Amino acid sequence: MIRKIAAAVVLIPLAVVIVSFAVANRQTVVVSFDPFDSAQPAYAASMPLFVLIFILVIFGIVLGGAVAWLGKMRWRWAARRAEHDIGELRRENDLLKRQLGGIGPTRLSPPLVPPVSPRAPVE
């Protein structure tokens, strides 16, 4: 319920801003893709200004997402390699356990280190 209220609090003002932006910028602009002949361009599109701005914003979001995805490719590769190595180590561990068969874990003796005695304070 709180999620729906929070979404409404954010999306309703955002929709009002977008609609008012579109109404304020509805004049037609000509977008030319021919840098050599501005009088008779090879391809030109006539569209409202807000449509052009929305197209450019969407293009920027897609381009930024693609760049971020490509930037993290090294980390995804390292994670896949680590998963592969873990799988190999698990298979090797299982093989070694099967080779040991019924031999249980051996109990190691405690280290032969003399106990540490507290020192008397030096006066």
Side-chain angles (χ1 to χ4, degrees):
M1 180 67 178
I2 293 176
R3 178 182 258 178
K4 289 182 181 183
I5 292 172
V9 166
V10 170
L11 292 179
I12 290 174
L14 184 63
V16 169
V17 168
I18 290 173
V19 168
S20 63
F21 176 78
V23 169
N25 294 296
R26 62 180 183 253
Q27 60 270 24
T28 303
V29 293
V30 177
V31 179
S32 172
F33 294 100
D34 187 2
F36 303 111
D37 187 13
S38 61
Q40 295 293 327
Y43 179 75
S46 179
M47 64 182 72
L49 180 60
F50 73 91
V51 172
L52 176 65
I53 292 173
F54 287 159
I55 289 172
L56 292 175
V57 167
I58 291 169
F59 178 73
I61 290 171
V62 170
L63 185 65
V67 168
W69 183 78
L70 289 173
K72 302 221 185 289
M73 189 178 299
R74 175 178 50 172
W75 302 110
R76 285 192 304 274
W77 180 84
R80 268 195 304 272
R81 182 70 190 151
E83 286 176 4
H84 177 68
D85 291 347
I86 288 171
E88 286 182 6
L89 291 172
R90 284 187 178 152
R91 284 189 293 277
E92 182 180 351
N93 190 18
D94 291 341
L95 176 67
L96 291 173
K97 283 181 182 178
R98 276 187 263 129
Q99 286 177 353
L100 286 175
I103 302 174
T106 60
R107 185 173 280 270
L108 298 175
S109 62
L112 300 174
V113 177
V116 179
S117 61
R119 289 185 165 178
V122 178
E123 293 182 23

